[in-house]
Amino acid sequence: MQTNGTIPQYPCFDYLLVLNPHEDLRNRIRSIKKEFADKYDAPMANYLKPYLSLVSFRTWGMVEEKLLQRLQVIAMGTSPFKVELSDFGSFPSHTIYINVTTRVPVQDLVKELKGAQRIMKLNKENKPHFMDEPHIAICRKLKPWQYEQGWLEYSHRQFTGRFVADSMLLLKRPAEQIGPWQIGQRFDFRNLPVSTKQGSLFA
């Protein structure tokens, strides 16, 4: 397909790179989201999956192979680590989330991922969004009354959970579509030295 008769129209995709808690913890978080959605008329809470997001971005489908290789190298050099969750926090006045108390290993991983941001950048208007404040969202884009009433309740509620992050998932969907995310690829954390991981990847 041509645009203006000259430039090929390449497909773009939205991507989301996440840490995925184990099934029991995901189910516990889902039940909290459903309760919040029902109580505060906030369907977005049900729509958001119980993932810990690392980076979201939009880029060309044709760079995906290069992107996958780069993420594989990062994952191979990353050690599995424990993620501890405790109680709730908020971004006034629009988001309520579950706190991540073991922030440093998540932030270190995000720092590594920033080294691949050139591949994740579509153009000047579409740059990757790195999650420098680790959290698991209960609901975003809240109206003022939803935030105020919801935070009044959840600021006093307790929650604890933990999981071992031993991999990350790359989710994708066609750009600007609201539909469900598809799992693009899983990258296992293997704690390999740089020379070993690159040799394994490119051998």
Side-chain angles (χ1 to χ4, degrees):
M1 182 185 296
Q2 302 284 316
T3 302
N4 298 330
T6 54
I7 303 171
Q9 185 63 48
Y10 295 110
C12 289
F13 294 90
D14 289 329
Y15 294 90
L16 183 62
L17 192 65
V18 302
L19 301 179
N20 189 25
H22 57 76
E23 185 176 11
D24 178 61
L25 184 53
R26 290 201 308 272
N27 289 338
R28 287 176 58 205
I29 297 171
R30 280 195 192 98
S31 68
I32 293 171
K33 289 171 168 289
K34 184 178 187 311
E35 179 186 354
F36 189 96
D38 294 344
K39 190 167 187 177
Y40 297 106
D41 189 24
M44 170 72 80
N46 281 328
Y47 176 68
L48 293 171
K49 301 297 184 186
Y51 298 132
L52 199 170
S53 298
L54 300 170
V55 56
S56 61
F57 57 98
R58 175 177 296 173
T59 193
W60 306 108
M62 62 183 176
V63 304
E64 186 172 301
E65 185 176 347
K66 187 176 180 181
L67 173 68
L68 295 178
Q69 287 184 344
R70 188 64 185 275
L71 294 177
Q72 183 70 40
V73 168
I74 292 171
M76 290 172 78
T78 299
S79 302
F81 56 89
K82 185 185 292 184
V83 179
E84 298 272 358
L85 309 176
S86 178
D87 302 335
F88 298 89
S90 74
F91 297 129
S93 55
H94 52 76
T95 300
I96 293 173
Y97 58 80
I98 296 173
N99 286 314
V100 175
T101 57
T102 49
R103 301 159 62 85
V104 173
V106 183
Q107 290 171 329
D108 287 346
L109 176 56
V110 170
K111 200 177 298 181
E112 284 286 317
L113 293 169
K114 287 181 179 179
Q117 60 185 307
R118 279 179 56 188
I119 313 173
M120 303 175 183
K121 180 180 174 182
L122 181 67
N123 52 38
K124 290 181 180 178
E125 290 73 38
N126 288 276
K127 298 177 182 177
H129 177 60
F130 293 94
M131 313 301 180
D132 293 313
E133 300 292 329
H135 65 280
I136 297 180
I138 297 301
C139 196
R140 299 192 185 107
K141 299 182 180 178
L142 293 168
K143 298 173 184 175
W145 74 267
Q146 292 170 320
Y147 173 81
E148 289 165 12
Q149 293 183 27
W151 183 232
L152 190 64
E153 175 186 353
Y154 280 78
S155 61
H156 300 292
R157 287 185 57 164
Q158 294 183 321
F159 179 88
T160 57
R162 62 182 56 83
F163 68 98
V164 174
D166 59 3
S167 64
M168 55 187 179
L169 292 179
L170 182 66
L171 312 176
K172 64 180 285 190
R173 65 187 178 195
E176 298 183 6
Q177 289 195 13
I178 308 298
W181 293 98
Q182 305 296 321
I183 295 178
Q185 190 155 325
R186 170 185 164 130
F187 304 93
D188 292 324
F189 298 156
R190 296 175 57 188
N191 191 26
L192 295 175
V194 173
S195 58
T196 305
K197 68 187 183 185
Q198 290 184 336
S200 300
L201 186 63
F202 299 111

